[in-house]
Amino acid sequence: MITHFDGVGIEGGAALAPALRERYRPLRVLGTGAMGTVVLARERELGRLVALKLLRENWPVFQQRLRHEARVMARLAHPAIVPVYA
């Protein structure tokens, strides 16, 4: 299944909540995986580039896995590791 996020085709049914659509402008799909799709986007207010990970399905197991991944990544600080903003 292909859905669209402001004109960027996203495979697997990944979607972004309307409030986040106002915050980010998608540029292109970076990749897809088992849990979802990663999209390169520009944060509208600050102008910085960010990678958004969009879940393929809104399943509790995917939500828990993504939260765990974000918590682990947020604890790391290294020039070769991207920071987690939210």
Side-chain angles (χ1 to χ4, degrees):
M1 168 170 48
I2 305 251
T3 60
H4 290 82
F5 169 59
D6 291 347
V8 176
I10 299 173
E11 296 183 25
L16 197 63
L20 292 179
R21 286 178 185 264
E22 293 175 13
R23 184 173 176 183
Y24 302 102
R25 182 176 56 90
L27 302 173
R28 65 185 169 93
V29 174
L30 295 174
T32 59
M35 279 188 9
T37 301
V38 177
V39 175
L40 177 66
R42 182 163 305 277
E43 189 174 19
R44 295 179 194 273
E45 187 173 332
L46 299 177
R48 65 183 165 194
L49 292 175
V50 297
L52 301 176
K53 190 168 199 175
L54 309 175
L55 295 178
R56 181 179 307 276
E57 299 288 342
N58 197 19
W59 294 342
V61 68
F62 283 176
Q63 293 172 1
Q64 291 170 351
R65 195 176 303 166
L66 182 63
R67 280 190 196 100
H68 176 73
E69 180 181 313
R71 284 185 190 113
V72 169
M73 296 299 294
R75 290 186 207 135
L76 303 175
H78 187 275
I81 299 174
V82 298
V84 174
Y85 296 120

